[in-house]
Structures are given as structure tokens and as C-alpha cells.
Amino acid sequence: MKLAALAVIAVSLAAQVIGALLPDVPLLICSTAAGLAAEGVLHKWQKGVLNAVAKTRADVTVRQLLRDFVLVIALLSLANQRQESAYVSLVYGLLIFYGLHFAGHAAAIFVRRTRTLPVLTRNIDASALRLSSAPPALLTRHPGTRLLLFQLPATAGLLLTAATESPRFAAWGIGVSVGLAALALAGLLVRLPKSRRPASDQEVLDWFEAWLAEYRPTFGMYFSGGTTSAYQANMWLEPLAAIEGRPLIVLRERFMLQKIGATDIPIVCIPKVADLMRLEHSTLKVLLHPANSGKTSQVLRIPTIKHAFINHGESDKLSSCNPYAKAYDEVWVAGPAARERYALADVGVEDRDIVEVGRPQLDAIRPYAGPPAGLTTVLYAPTWEGWDGNPGNTSVILAGENIVRELLADPGVRLLYKPHPMTGSVDPRAGAANERIQQMIRAANRAVERPQTAGSAELAPLTQKLTELTSETFSSGADPVERMLRQGEPEPGRAAAVAAAEQEWHAAYWRSLPAAEHQIITGTRPSLYSCFDEADVLISDVSSVVSDFLASGKPYAVANTSDMSEEAFRASLPTVRAATILSPDAAGVPALLAAVRNPELDELAEARADLKAHLLGPSTPPSSVRFNEAAQALCATADKQRARREARLLSEIPGQRTPAAPAGTADAGDVLTAPEPAVSGADRA
């Protein structure tokens, strides 16, 4: 089906050629119309196919030129038959149109370059940079669509001329197309004078340094990743905002600006390494890293900043004790289990560099309230297949359908199916199994009539409200400079308003669902943690989902699709020690449900409580408090290091006296005579 439109285009071009050579006017008109309609389908709904075809050099410009060339040949064939030569002059009109189109494309490239700033921001007043609204995206970012739309009058005129033998239709159509192309070019040219452009690169960088000096950030979060990885940073927005000080978020990819969730924290995107190095001279002391990426090594070069790896989730997978972690000054983990994991992995992370801070995101998860009074809500949240091809990564392929089949067979179960968003991205078998599971759930829902609730009417206005609050944040089509203009100085409390709206939306969402209806949850809402609160039991794989769910204290099960026995599985993976282990045939599902419904059969309750403390650390003080304390301690370490560095530099200048140390740091004079203390992480490098 994805290639149907492309096939129509190929067939229509061949039919056009035949219609021109015969000549056959009806065939010419029908084939041209079919080709343009298929082009519209590609541009509207199948951009992936469109981009793939463009790589073969048969892009939309080539295809449209071919259509026009064939139409001209057809008209010349008709003209030869009727002893007329008036059609030849129409070729010059088409040449003028294409000349204006290509000139407009060149102007669009230049305009885009003038609007490609070295630093992009959110929640910062950047009006001093002469920001202005962007030209229509049709003029600057969609040359193929622009060509098709602006050429429509010319194409229609040529077809009418072929049908009526009157060249005036083609002349008028080409004239309209030429006029549209000229207007588009003029609209871009008026933006080329220097007075109409945003600030130059140097002006932007000077402004950015002045803003840093005025704002004086103390700590921040650094993030770089792909289009689907923003959740790794978004989970840390609230904990970051709660830290004492002046926070900052540093991004590297321009598209990531609109993917970061609602927050009042200033956000800067610095794509180039040379510009990133300007942070060295700022007051920034600490950067927190929720993920490793190729660009992480670039910011680790800055010697004035301390770096802590906070990860985006902990599990027993090898990725949770990546050797790259030794590049950071500190590694912040949830509890003792992660400390032990690094020790066993022996990847070079020293125990003194590990700081236990808990998981502040989990503080709001509702605790276990006992067995369900009515239906048993089961959350099945398998992870994805991963990059290494390990069959134990995800249960979707080998066990997913069996697990869901067992759950659907129990009339007292309501199933929430929430697969990982990257399921099937590496292994097609996982994607196919995921689709079959969803079909099973839909079939089960169709088999039973359930009364509808009145909650849908309540949900609609809340959805609209939440959409309006987040529309600026997640707008993906806006020009980056225009987005800076829209998302300037933050509105006080906007993030809190979004959080309140999300909480209200989640409550209304669960109320709106028909009783006992199984749910397939693939979007960002409802959130995973909201599903935790709704569920009575979790079934998952070896992933951070299990560790996070333990904060609730509720029963959980883990699918064992590896080659290990159950005993080896429990012994080698700490997160599953308090879990019910399910084999690929899902034979243990009925016993799991019985233990959830009957507390006397739940033999793992005490083990879950012990494992929760082992994985997530103590409940008191709260994780948010420990997270803040760790940030303040690392900031103090950064202050001391800066004082030592400044003292060393001053001591090398003849006649200079060592200044007094800043408040809250070690005495610089004492540091000069004391032996250099041991440092860790990036300092050792």
C-alpha cells in the first residue's frame, strides 16, 4: 500500500508519454490528473517514500519537468497536425517559471541560513536579537510542494489547450504560475537586507555570554539524543526544577527544543562544539547527564564543570553499568543495588564516585493499598528488543501473545497493554508480535458489550486545555527562530499549570473508560507512572520499569525468555528476586492472579519491601531531598576546584597575592601548601 501512490506516478508518466505520442487527449488529461493526485498523496501522507525516491535523483522537480515536457510534446504534435506554430512560445513561459522557481529555492536557502542561529533558547527573553516571524513554510521549507501548487495553473492551462485547441488557456495558466513564483521570490528577497535579518552569529554569541553573566547558572542538565529519546530528559525536569539554585538545560540538537516538556527552566541549544566551550567561563558548576551520547565527550572537556551521570532508569541490563560512566566525576544511582552492580561489572567506576540519591520521580507514586476489590487491573509493559539481539531483552516475541491470551481468558482481568515505543524498531518479529497482541485485545473488546461512561464528555475539554497549554512546547513545524520568539521569557507558574492540567486529565481519562474494557496505550498519555497507580500488578521484562514499579510495593512478574533456569535467573538479576517468574508459555499467570487477589497466597510481599529498599534506597529522607543534597555537595566540590585552579594561576604570576577564597570554599592559601587531593572521574582524565 505504501508504494501504491508511487506506482500510480510511474504508470501515469508512461501513459502521458503514450498520450503525447499518439496523440490522445483524454489519455493525456487522465494520466496527468492521476499523477498529480498521487503526488499529493505522497507529499501529505507518505513523506518517507518521497524522501527515499528523492535519493534516486528522481525527485518531484524532475517528475514535474517530465510532465511539462511531455505536455509540450503533445501540444507540438497537435500543432503539427493542424499546421499551427503558436504553441512553441509557451515553452518560453515555462522556462521563465522554472527560472523563478529555482531562484526562489536559492533565496529560501539563504533566508534559512540567516535564521540558523548558533544558539537557540526557550524560556529566555531573546528580543534583543531582532527576532521576527518566519516566512511561510511553503516558501522556505517545502520546495516540492511549492512547485506542485504553483505549477497547477500552468498544467491545467496546458490540458485545456490540448482539449480545446485554444492556446490562450495555456498562456493564462502559465502566466498565473509565473506570477505566483515571482511573488514567492519577492517575499523572500525582502528578507535578505541586513536590517531584516536576525542578529549575526557573533552578536548572538555575545548576547548569550551576557545572558550567562546576568543569570549566573549554578547547575544544569546536559542532553543529546535522537528524536525518540526525549523522554530520557523529560523524566528529570521536575527533580531538576526542585534543586536549590539557578538551573539550566543544555541541548545539542535543534529539534530537541520542542521535544523537551513543559518547564520554567531556561533552555539553551548549542549545536557547535566551539560555541559549547563558552560555558567554561560561566558560573555553571555542575551538569547532570541522563544519557550517554556521542556528543557527551565534548562537554566533558570543560574543566570548570563537574559532571554526574544520573541515567534515565536502572535495571539489570548491561547498559545500566556502562563503562562510559567512569568518564563522569560522580555516578548517581538509586540505591545499594546499583552500587553492587558497578562493583560486579568492574568497568572502572570506583565506589567512592557513586552517590545514592534514590529516584525522585517516584516519590508521587501511590503506595500499595491491598488486593483489588473488583476487577484485577494488570499492566503488561514489555520493553523493546534492544540492539544486541538478546532474546531475553523483550518478552514480546516469545511470550507476549501467550501472556495476553492467558490474561484475556480471565473474565476478572482488565488489561492495560503499554509496549515500549521502540518495539519493532530493530527486530521486525517484535513489531509483528506487537501488532498481533493488539489485534487480540481489540477482538476481546469487540466480543463483550460494555456500557459506555459519561466521562468522555468531561475528558474532551480537559484534553483541549492541556493541548493549548503544551502546544507551544511541542510545536514541531515552527521555524526555530520564531519558536524562540514565541517561547521567550517564561510565564511564571506555566510548568505548574501544565502539571496540574495533566493530573486533572489523567483522573478524567481513567474515569472515562468503560468498565472492564482492555486498553492499548501507545502514546505519551496516559503516562507510565499513571498506569502504575491504576494497576494492581505489573508484568514486564528485565528493565527499569520493574525497578520503578517497586516504589508502589505492588506484586509484579517478570517474563524469563532467556536461556537461564529460574534459579539462575533470580540469582543473576537482583530486580527479579521478589518477582513471580513467568516462562514463555505463561503457565504461571493464573497463580500470579490468585496471589494478587488473595494476600495469604502472596509469599513475596516481604521480599518486595526488602528489594524496594535495596534498589531505591531508604524512604526517609525522601529521594528529592537526597537528590538536592547531592547537587549541593557537587557544586561545593566544583567551587573548591575552581579556587585551587585560580590560586595556582595567580601563584605563577610574579608579585600577585593569592586572593581570599570565596564563601563556602576551601581556603586558597591553605590549598597551595597542602598536597593535591585525589580527584575522580573526568579530573583523573
Side-chain angles (χ1 to χ4, degrees):
M1 289 299 292
K2 288 185 177 180
L3 300 180
L6 191 61
V8 170
I9 290 175
V11 172
S12 68
L13 286 172
Q16 268 188 285
V17 173
I18 296 173
L21 294 177
L22 288 177
D24 187 320
V25 174
L27 177 60
L28 197 65
I29 293 174
C30 292
S31 58
T32 303
L36 290 176
E39 291 281 4
V41 171
L42 285 181
H43 280 77
K44 181 66 175 178
W45 293 292
Q46 297 183 4
K47 289 184 171 58
V49 176
L50 196 68
N51 295 334
V53 174
K55 293 178 181 179
T56 67
R57 305 302 180 187
D59 60 9
V60 64
T61 303
V62 172
R63 297 194 298 270
Q64 187 60 34
L65 271 169
L66 182 58
R67 285 190 195 91
D68 291 338
F69 176 71
V70 170
L71 286 177
V72 169
I73 289 178
L75 291 178
L76 292 176
S77 299
L78 292 169
N80 288 335
Q81 287 184 2
R82 301 183 181 94
Q83 304 298 319
E84 296 178 4
S85 59
Y87 296 125
V88 177
S89 60
L90 299 177
V91 175
Y92 297 107
L94 287 174
L95 292 175
I96 293 173
F97 168 79
Y98 278 100
L100 290 172
H101 171 73
F102 291 128
H105 187 45
I109 293 173
F110 191 82
V111 168
R112 288 204 308 271
R113 287 181 178 177
T114 63
R115 299 180 66 81
T116 305
L117 304 185
V119 177
L120 297 177
T121 66
R122 258 180 60 186
N123 298 334
I124 299 173
D125 182 6
S127 56
L129 299 179
R130 303 192 302 274
L131 305 181
S132 60
S133 297
L138 180 65
L139 302 186
T140 57
R141 299 183 178 275
H142 306 294
T145 304
R146 182 173 72 247
L147 173 63
L148 289 174
L149 290 177
F150 287 4
Q151 182 66 354
L152 271 179
T155 302
L158 290 169
L159 291 174
L160 283 173
T161 292
T164 63
E165 306 179 11
S166 175
R168 69 175 184 273
F169 291 110
W172 274 104
I174 293 174
V176 172
S177 292
V178 168
L180 290 173
L183 287 174
L185 176 61
L188 293 169
L189 291 178
V190 296
R191 292 179 176 270
L192 296 185
K194 191 173 182 179
S195 60
R196 299 292 304 276
R197 304 180 204 166
S200 66
D201 286 2
Q202 189 57 50
E203 288 175 315
V204 173
L205 293 172
D206 291 343
W207 167 86
F208 177 57
E209 289 190 342
W211 178 84
L212 285 173
E214 179 182 359
Y215 179 64
R216 298 185 62 79
T218 53
F219 65 91
M221 178 173 68
Y222 176 93
F223 187 72
S224 171
T227 55
T228 61
S229 63
Y231 72 95
Q232 299 171 353
N234 286 332
M235 67 172 60
W236 288 103
L237 293 180
E238 288 189 24
L240 189 70
I243 296 178
E244 298 173 16
R246 291 178 295 279
L248 178 67
I249 296 175
V250 181
L251 306 176
R252 301 300 307 281
E253 291 81 20
R254 299 175 189 273
F255 67 80
M256 194 64 71
L257 270 173
Q258 73 265 19
K259 292 186 175 293
I260 297 298
T263 179
D264 294 332
I265 300 174
I267 304 175
V268 297
C269 176
I270 313 174
K272 294 184 179 179
V273 181
D275 301 331
L276 182 71
M277 293 299 109
R278 293 172 183 265
L279 294 177
E280 179 178 354
H281 306 292
S282 71
T283 57
L284 194 61
K285 304 173 184 179
V286 169
L287 279 176
L288 308 179
H289 300 259
N292 297 312
S293 74
K295 296 180 181 178
T296 300
S297 62
Q298 298 169 351
V299 77
L300 292 179
R301 302 175 191 176
I302 301 179
T304 58
I305 299 176
K306 290 291 184 181
H307 302 270
F309 181 56
I310 56 177
N311 212 337
H312 53 273
E314 293 183 10
S315 71
D316 291 321
K317 292 181 180 178
L318 293 177
S319 58
S320 289
C321 47
N322 193 313
Y324 195 97
K326 63 188 174 186
Y328 302 95
D329 296 286
E330 291 182 353
V331 177
W332 294 4
V333 299
R339 185 185 295 274
E340 296 172 3
R341 190 180 299 120
Y342 274 107
L344 290 172
D346 193 22
V347 293
V349 177
E350 298 189 18
D351 186 73
R352 64 181 178 180
D353 297 331
I354 296 177
V355 181
E356 297 177 25
V357 298
R359 288 274 285 167
Q361 300 93 335
L362 308 180
D363 287 351
I365 291 180
R366 292 201 297 265
Y368 182 47
L375 290 172
T376 303
T377 299
V378 181
L379 171 61
Y380 178 37
T383 190
W384 67 302
E385 59 270 24
W387 301 110
D388 57 5
N390 188 334
N393 286 342
T394 179
S395 59
V396 169
I397 298 174
L398 298 178
E401 292 171 80
N402 294 331
I403 290 172
V404 170
R405 189 177 295 109
E406 288 287 340
L407 293 172
L408 296 179
D410 190 321
V413 164
R414 178 180 65 148
L415 172 61
L416 308 179
Y417 177 59
K418 189 173 177 61
H420 193 285
M422 292 180 66
T423 298
S425 60
V426 172
D427 191 338
R429 295 179 302 164
N434 175 44
E435 183 57 35
R436 290 195 297 270
I437 289 172
Q438 295 189 31
Q439 291 175 0
M440 292 168 60
I441 296 172
R442 295 188 189 101
N445 282 334
R446 288 193 298 268
V448 179
E449 291 188 7
R450 296 178 175 88
Q452 298 294 315
T453 66
S456 56
E458 176 191 12
L459 186 64
L462 294 176
T463 302
Q464 179 65 25
K465 176 183 177 182
L466 189 54
T467 300
E468 292 174 355
L469 283 172
T470 58
S471 59
E472 291 295 331
T473 299
F474 298 105
S475 173
S476 59
D479 173 89
V481 175
E482 186 173 7
R483 194 177 298 118
M484 287 176 62
L485 182 63
R486 296 179 186 177
Q487 300 172 340
E489 196 167 352
E491 303 173 13
R494 182 173 179 268
V498 172
E502 286 183 339
Q503 185 176 4
E504 191 177 9
W505 183 91
H506 277 96
Y509 171 81
W510 295 116
R511 289 195 301 268
S512 71
L513 299 179
E517 183 179 77
H518 308 298
Q519 300 299 320
I520 300 170
I521 303 170
T522 56
T524 56
R525 290 196 294 262
S527 68
L528 178 63
Y529 293 163
S530 177
C531 293
F532 284 178
D533 287 341
E534 190 71 13
D536 299 304
V537 58
L538 167 74
I539 299 177
S540 189
D541 304 323
V542 178
S543 72
S544 60
V545 173
V546 168
S547 302
D548 288 354
F549 188 78
L550 273 166
S552 69
K554 299 174 183 178
Y556 71 103
V558 176
N560 178 12
T561 54
S562 68
D563 295 330
M564 292 186 285
S565 65
E566 180 175 333
E567 292 74 17
F569 193 62
R570 288 187 186 277
S572 60
L573 303 169
T575 56
V576 308
R577 291 175 185 171
T580 297
I581 307 302
L582 299 179
S583 57
D585 61 6
V589 169
L592 168 67
L593 296 174
V596 173
R597 293 161 177 161
N598 303 286
E600 65 274 11
L601 300 179
D602 184 5
E603 300 176 352
L604 297 170
E606 185 176 348
R608 286 197 304 274
D610 293 340
L611 185 58
K612 174 184 175 182
H614 188 59
L615 291 177
L616 303 177
S619 299
T620 55
S623 179
S624 56
V625 173
R626 287 182 282 149
F627 189 71
N628 179 64
E629 289 174 349
Q632 302 307 319
L634 194 54
C635 283
T637 302
D639 282 336
K640 294 176 182 179
Q641 178 177 295
R642 290 191 184 202
R644 291 195 300 269
R645 183 177 291 107
E646 291 174 3
R648 283 195 295 268
L649 291 174
L650 287 172
S651 67
E652 296 173 0
I653 303 175
Q656 291 291 328
R657 297 181 61 186
T658 302
T665 65
D667 186 340
D670 293 340
V671 171
L672 285 176
T673 58
E676 184 72 9
V679 292
S680 60
D683 291 333
R684 286 196 299 274

